[in-house]
Amino acid sequence: MTPNVLIVAEVDSGRLSLPTVEAAGVARSLSGPDGKIVGIAGGAGAAGAAIEFGEYGIERAYAIDDPRLDGAPAQAQTAYIAAAASAVGAHLVLLGGSTAGRDLAGRVAVAWKAAAANGVTELAWAGEALRVQRPVFGGRATEARLLRGGRAVVSLRPHAFPAAAVERTTCAVERAPAASVPPALLAPRRTGVEAVPKGTGPALSDAPIVVSGGRGVRTPENFRLIEELAASLGAAVGASRAVTDAGWRPTSLQVGQTGRSVSPQLYIAVGISGAIQHLVGMMSSRVIVAINNDATASIFRVADYGIVGDLFAIVPALTAEIHRVRGI
Amino acid sequence: MEIVVCLKPVPDAETRLRPRADGSRLDPEGVKFVLAGYDESAVEQALLLREAIAGSKVHAVSFGPPRWTEEVLRAAIALGCDTATAVESAGEEAGDPIAAAEGLLGAVEGMPHDLVLLGKQAGDDEEGLVPGALAEMLGMPHFGYVVDLHWDGAAQRLRFGRSAEAGQETWESPLPCVIGLQQAWNDPRTAKLPAILKSRRAPIAKVSPPAPSPERAASVPERFALPPPRTGAKMIAYRTPEEAAQQLVRILKEEAKVFP
Ligand SMILES: Cc1cc2nc3c(=O)[nH]c(=O)nc-3n(C[C@H](O)[C@H](O)[C@H](O)COP(=O)(O)OP(=O)(O)OC[C@H]3O[C@@H](n4cnc5c(N)ncnc54)[C@H](O)[C@@H]3O)c2cc1C
Ligand SMILES: Nc1ncnc2c1ncn2[C@@H]1O[C@H](COP(=O)(O)O)[C@@H](O)[C@H]1O
């Protein structure tokens, strides 16, 4: 079989977003020498972004020429994506691991009559089927599934794959095949974006590094220590529920069962005991570091590296050491 | 406003996860299936909207084997949902979110539905596929990852926030609409004892799912595995905080290779 892949671009200020570039890398490693890889981009700046696929060795892309999509939710592209997938004889529609990508997968699967999986960390062909693997139960287990029937729609887990290597080829951009967009999908309107303020670090759910603080920090003022450590690493700040319940920091920072699920490359838990409700939100992190003055704290059972000690001594020393090593 | 909430029975958080003998999926034997996570939030949100908009009703729907759906639907009634509908399945398709959406479709189409509320992802499979799949089947717009949902009666619009990589977006949408909720209340309401007792006798409507179409692409579970137990943390020995810091940074750079 020579698998054909359609990559759905997410356009961010006229450029391909990082999740899309990760998807391009996966497509290139999955598709054999004879397989076709085609990109598709829609919405404002689509044509310019589609050309950019060439930088990742993808020589063909569709741009959706439909001004109604500017400012409309990404889901309004569903019918175009399904039509393009059929036109290229795709076996796989690949979406980046972003909010929009995950949100689009179920829709595209129904429109294109495909099987679907979100948040995939491994994928490989098994004959006509696609075998996908993904963490479930907050990282407490993994499942492998076969997506059968020759049509699969998959979004990737953020940071699970490296970005595609840069390989400057020229991408021929064509107009995407026509499709009819249900008017209901054009009705919702975005009324604003509150951009993540500069200097506050990346968004929690997508950050490659997260530093979280717990009740051990003791006061809202002391929580600054956690924020300084995070800043030294360019990391996002998280918190346990003890912290958000006490109002030391907003609930939007809460990690766990009733907060956010995160799966960064590195998670540093400071003054957090490791209650199961916290663990389910961060256990699928690749490397976990715990700093706690109680050697019997449960967090050390899931951590890869532990420091038993007083956070008020360890954290400032760590922040200083990171500044020194990174030369900042 | 007629509000439908879709509730997935998921294993209780305390469940000891175990693969079935053939290793293909979770062994449901002895597992307690409950209403949990974002679906609990969806119920809370539905009830808050009902309280805010006179004449509203909340309809709970769940797809799965009756012994599982009954538990979550009774919990939903005890919390205050007006009606409960079970779409009965054998459970073999479990874990195929598109099949779940097909099952839910039959029930939702048969009831008034201005707003369909779901969790942004289920507590077990965490796919986040059902909201979009169901919305596409219904021909309705949908949004996942939604927080701060409210109804603007003057403009006849839903207004809500949505967390995306670029920041917090705000949106407005007319009805009907499908919403996958990310909001987490730290203190959603809990059911009172009399309501729990009454919910035991409440009627649960039953709907049969559509026969699976043979040509539909399928998602088949192949293997369910527990990660090798983390052997416990490698503890860093040190004399001074500075030494602890140096050791940790060295490990993150050289051994774990996660230093930025
Ligand atoms: C339904 C439900 C949902 C929940 N959802 C969540 C959730 O989403 N997220 C969440 O986090 N929790 C959640 N919880 C709460 C959870 O059970 C715990 O209560 C909470 O995680 C505890 O937070 P903590 O670890 O910060 O505090 P604690 O458990 O009090 O731990 C504080 C830790 O700090 C350490 N410490 C103290 N002083 C120092 C020092 N000077 N130096 C170093 N270490 C120090 C202590 O040894 C201790 O281990 C939920 C609970 C329920 C019932
Ligand atoms: N079997 C089901 N019955 C009712 N609702 C479901 C079912 N499966 C999924 N859902 C809803 O869809 C949401 C997302 O589920 P999932 O796509 O499986 O992560 C859940 O939070 C539920 O609201």
Side-chain angles (χ1 to χ4, degrees), chain A residues 75 103 118 138 145 258 308, chain B residues 126-127 142 162 184 219 238:
Chain A
Q75 58 188 278
D103 219 9
N118 261 346
R145 309 183 73 85
T258 43
V308 178
Chain B
E126 301 175 356
E127 290 268 27
H142 90 285
R162 186 167 195 263
S219 163
Y238 64 95

Side-chain angles (χ1 to χ4, degrees), chain B residues 6-9 38-39 61-64 97 100 104 117-122 125-131:
Chain B
C6 298
L7 307 174
K8 180 177 190 178
Y38 295 109
D39 292 9
V61 181
S62 185
F63 169 80
L104 293 169
L117 277 178
L118 304 91
K120 72 148 190 184
Q121 63 181 39
D125 66 24
E126 301 175 356
E127 290 268 27
L129 288 167
V130 174

Side-chain angles (χ1 to χ4, degrees), chain B residues 170-187:
Chain B
T170 49
W171 286 81
E172 57 169 47
S173 175
L175 295 175
C177 188
V178 176
I179 296 282
L181 209 67
Q182 151 152 333
Q183 184 95 16
W185 280 270
N186 279 342
D187 303 295

Side-chain angles (χ1 to χ4, degrees), chain A:
Chain A
M1 185 176 107
T2 54
N4 302 327
V5 183
L6 180 73
I7 307 175
V8 179
E10 191 194 0
V11 183
D12 179 5
S13 322
R15 311 224 31 177
L16 297 182
S17 71
L18 178 62
T20 306
V21 177
E22 290 172 357
V26 169
R28 298 214 49 206
S29 63
L30 262 185
S31 179
D34 306 322
K36 275 188 272 185
I37 307 178
V38 181
I40 182 167
I51 292 178
E52 214 193 313
F53 273 113
E55 298 200 10
Y56 306 100
I58 293 165
E59 293 167 6
R60 215 181 127 201
Y62 291 122
I64 304 172
D65 183 14
D66 185 339
R68 294 174 305 168
L69 298 184
D70 298 5
Q75 58 188 278
Q77 299 172 19
T78 303
Y80 284 105
I81 295 167
S86 297
V88 298
H91 301 88
L92 169 64
V93 171
L94 202 55
L95 300 138
S98 61
T99 296
R102 288 188 292 265
D103 219 9
L104 208 49
R107 265 206 116 99
V108 171
V110 169
W112 188 49
K113 299 188 169 51
N118 261 346
V120 163
T121 50
E122 278 175 42
L123 61 175
W125 299 107
E128 290 283 305
L130 185 69
R131 174 177 292 123
V132 296
Q133 188 167 311
R134 45 196 298 282
V136 291
F137 286 99
R140 285 202 289 154
T142 54
E143 67 165 18
R145 309 183 73 85
L146 284 178
L147 305 184
R148 287 202 184 128
R151 290 182 170 200
V153 176
V154 165
S155 82
L156 304 174
R157 193 171 180 91
H159 316 304
F161 300 91
V166 174
E167 191 173 323
R168 292 179 204 291
T169 47
T170 318
C171 183
V173 176
E174 334 165 12
R175 176 192 288 232
S180 94
V181 180
L185 300 192
L186 296 166
R189 287 280 126 194
R190 194 163 77 182
T191 51
V193 196
E194 194 184 302
V196 185
K198 284 259 177 301
T200 57
L204 185 54
S205 315
D206 303 288
I209 304 182
V210 174
V211 179
S212 285
R215 199 195 316 267
V217 172
R218 258 189 258 148
T219 68
E221 294 73 35
N222 293 341
F223 206 81
R224 217 176 15 86
L225 291 175
I226 305 298
E227 286 155 351
E228 286 164 2
L229 175 57
S232 73
L233 289 163
V237 175
S240 74
R241 175 161 155 184
V243 168
T244 54
D245 266 2
W248 299 351
R249 288 299 180 271
T251 31
S252 58
L253 299 191
Q254 184 177 315
V255 172
Q257 188 186 321
T258 43
R260 308 280 170 127
S261 293
V262 299
S263 55
Q265 294 290 311
L266 172 61
Y267 188 88
I268 305 184
V270 182
I272 292 179
S273 59
I276 183 70
Q277 295 90 351
H278 186 82
L279 299 185
V280 295
M282 44 65 76
M283 244 161 46
S284 55
S285 307
R286 192 163 82 73
V287 175
I288 298 171
V289 172
I291 301 173
N292 197 304
N293 62 5
D294 175 3
T296 67
S298 322
I299 191 76
F300 289 124
R301 275 188 252 142
V302 301
D304 299 283
Y305 303 102
I307 298 180
V308 178
D310 181 8
L311 73 89
F312 295 102
I314 303 286
V315 171
L318 187 55
T319 306
E321 175 67 7
I322 292 164
H323 280 149
R324 194 183 66 76
V325 172
R326 298 188 73 196
I328 48 179

Side-chain angles (χ1 to χ4, degrees), chain B residues 61-77:
Chain B
V61 181
S62 185
F63 169 80
R67 334 177 255 106
W68 305 355
T69 55
E70 173 152 3
E71 172 84 26
V72 297
L73 289 172
R74 297 222 181 273
I77 292 173

